[in-house]
């Protein structure tokens, strides 16, 4: 395992900013390790990705027309004919809801390609759609550019149709297809792989050459993050939209090993990731997790979920679309737990996002706007005996921040209003460009007699959101109880949740 970690570090070190990978020496004590962890920072591509907050997945393909979740590569692709397909409708629907990026399933496990690949007959060029002249990857890419939305592609490593799967020739085939996607559609902002690796039509399993794929992406689209079987972004571990209570972006380098990632990925149609939203360990990356690390890496979590029970469109799920309130809950447990939300919104057989999905997405967008437009904390008089640059917490900029004086790693901020103020949401953001540091915090209000706790937590990272029973008070104090180094609180907010459906 140590050899694997060393090789990964060597391969990816040039792809990261200078401090995105940090080595640990055998003689480093815990204090030195934690100091190093506090100074691990994201690369420019990782920072951009984190600030997106909301990314959409469009699962679309032959499965949409066979009413299946997983195809076997033997489908009659003549069934593929989304006569009203409108990629601009897809992208506008997510744009209006506040999403910043979209990923299209260019090829799922069944091997069917949504672009006219030169390297297989199992593609859109041999379907009735636009008399074989269609290219849905192109349509989505152009729609993303029109609406100023990031564009990403998912290319399944597993291919249940291609006869070369399970041989060296398949890695060449895969590189050829990846090259098409990275050279024909303009800027690509995210390339999404999983580690799915079942048998091909020849009964063999493939040994993937991930390193060559990563090298190709870095060469052709250097700004693109590689997720979630990749060096930039990891999968959070469930498909529920729920992250951990303690979710660090700085992890032992072993978390980035291809073997570990692949072990958690789908191998067979009957073996799927955890769907319960529970974790054996709610703590990913705290001090105790770093003790035996040989190196540290910035490796943030992408938190995925579908707006429907399934990932491809099924008409019998039209009444099961997640409500605006449920989507808001998911925002709190994904983005609000130091992740990026990847929400799947599957187009239907007509080639459109269904009306129910569009309606709920729009209502979610309004709920977000109504909740987070008015920062109640901004109207308070704010003081801190051991801190500086308090105003930076309200300027909407991640690179300006409140911090402590000297070497203080804890502090208290007090807020006072002239009249009673009501709120039920706490929002916190660190300046992760200089590292993730806050380890423990709590918030209290004064009820006229004593201070009472209304929120507490461990990590903050890019963003931490907490909901609680509504508090009405004139005085609040926020305490950073522990931090790996001087804390950098970039934004602080108190809000009132829009609870209308």
């Amino acid at each position: 395992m140590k050899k694997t970690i060393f090789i990964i570090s060597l391969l990816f070190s040039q792809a990261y900013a200078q401090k995105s990978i940090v080595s640990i020496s055998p003689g480093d004590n815990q204090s030195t390790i934690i100091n190093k962890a506090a100074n691990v920072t994201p690369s420019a591509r990782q920072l951009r990705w984190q600030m997106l907050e909301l990314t959409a997945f469009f699962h679309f393909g032959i499965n949409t027309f066979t009413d299946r979740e997983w195809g076997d590569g033997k489908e009659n692709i003549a069934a593929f004919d989304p006569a009203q397909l409108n990629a601009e409708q897809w992208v506008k629907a997510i744009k209006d809801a506040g999403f910043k990026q979209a990923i299209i399933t260019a090829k799922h496990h069944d091997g069917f390609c949504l672009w006219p690949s030169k390297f297989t007959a199992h593609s859109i060029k041999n379907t009735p759609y636009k008399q074989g002249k269609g290219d849905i990857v192109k349509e989505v890419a152009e729609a993303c550019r029109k609406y100023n939305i990031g564009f990403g592609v998912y290319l399944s490593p597993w291919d249940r149709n291609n006869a070369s799967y399970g041989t060296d020739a398949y890695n060449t085939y895969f590189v050829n297809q990846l090259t098409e996607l990275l050279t024909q559609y303009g800027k690509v902002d995210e390339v999404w792989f999983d580690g799915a690796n079942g048998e091909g039509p020849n009964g063999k399993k493939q040994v993937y050459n991930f390193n060559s794929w990563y090298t190709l992406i870095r060469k052709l689209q250097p700004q693109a993050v590689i997720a979630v079987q990749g060096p930039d972004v990891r999968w959070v571990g469930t498909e529920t939209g729920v992250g951990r209570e303690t979710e660090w972006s700085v992890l032992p380098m072993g978390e980035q090993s291809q073997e570990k990632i692949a072990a958690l990925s789908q191998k067979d149609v009957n073996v799927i990731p955890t769907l319960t939203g529970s974790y054996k360990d709610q703590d990913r990356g705290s001090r105790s997790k770093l003790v035996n690390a040989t190196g540290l890496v910035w490796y943030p979590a992408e938190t995925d979920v579908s707006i429907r029970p399934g990932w491809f469109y099924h008409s019998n799920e039209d009444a099961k679309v997640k409500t605006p309130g449920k989507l808001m809950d998911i925002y709190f447990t994904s983005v609000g737990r130091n992740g990026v939300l990847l929400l799947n919104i599957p187009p239907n057989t007509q080639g459109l996002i269904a009306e129910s999905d569009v309606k709920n997405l729009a209502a979610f967008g309004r709920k977000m706007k109504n909740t987070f437009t008015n920062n109640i904390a901004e109207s308070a008089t704010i003081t801190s005996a051991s801190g500086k640059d308090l105003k930076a917490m309200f300027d909407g900029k991640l690179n300006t921040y409140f911090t402590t004086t000297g070497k203080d790693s804890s502090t208290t901020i007090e807020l006072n209003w002239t009249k009673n103020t009501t709120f039920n949401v706490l929002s916190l953001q660190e300046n992760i460009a200089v590292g993730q540091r806050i380890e423990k915090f709590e918030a209290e209000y004064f009820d006229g007699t004593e201070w009472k706790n209304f929120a507490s937590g461990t990590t903050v990272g890019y963003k931490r959101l907490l909901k609680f029973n509504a508090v009405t008070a004139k005085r609040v104090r926020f305490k950073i109880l522990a931090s790996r180094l001087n804390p950098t609180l970039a934004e602080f907010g108190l809000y009132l949740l829009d609870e209308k459906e």
Side-chain angles (χ1 to χ4, degrees), residues 44-61:
R45 66 175 71 89
Q46 289 173 313
L47 183 59
R48 175 202 168 270
W49 171 86
Q50 188 86 55
M51 294 175 70
L52 294 171
E53 294 197 0
L54 300 173
T55 299
F57 220 155
F58 296 134
H59 270 64
F60 188 63

Side-chain angles (χ1 to χ4, degrees), residues 239-251:
E239 292 184 341
T240 60
V242 179
R244 294 172 185 79
E245 293 282 355
T246 300
E247 194 77 67
W248 288 91
S249 294
V250 180
L251 299 179

Side-chain angles (χ1 to χ4, degrees), residues 31-51:
S31 177
T32 301
I33 293 171
I34 297 306
N35 185 270
K36 286 184 175 183
N39 286 286
V40 178
T41 58
S43 65
R45 66 175 71 89
Q46 289 173 313
L47 183 59
R48 175 202 168 270
W49 171 86
Q50 188 86 55
M51 294 175 70

Side-chain angles (χ1 to χ4, degrees), residues 77 80 112-136 177 180:
I77 62 174
F80 186 85
F112 176 68
C113 301
L114 291 181
W115 80 101
S117 175
K118 293 187 300 183
F119 302 99
T120 181
H122 202 59
S123 85
I124 197 171
K125 66 186 178 185
N126 290 316
T127 71
Y129 180 64
K130 293 190 175 181
Q131 293 78 50
K133 303 298 182 183
D135 187 339
I136 293 173
Q177 290 202 317
E180 287 182 318

Side-chain angles (χ1 to χ4, degrees), residues 26 76 126 133 168 180 229 263 332 385 440 447:
N76 180 3
N126 290 316
K133 303 298 182 183
D168 289 341
E180 287 182 318
Q229 172 91 25
F332 271 73
K440 189 177 182 181
D447 70 354

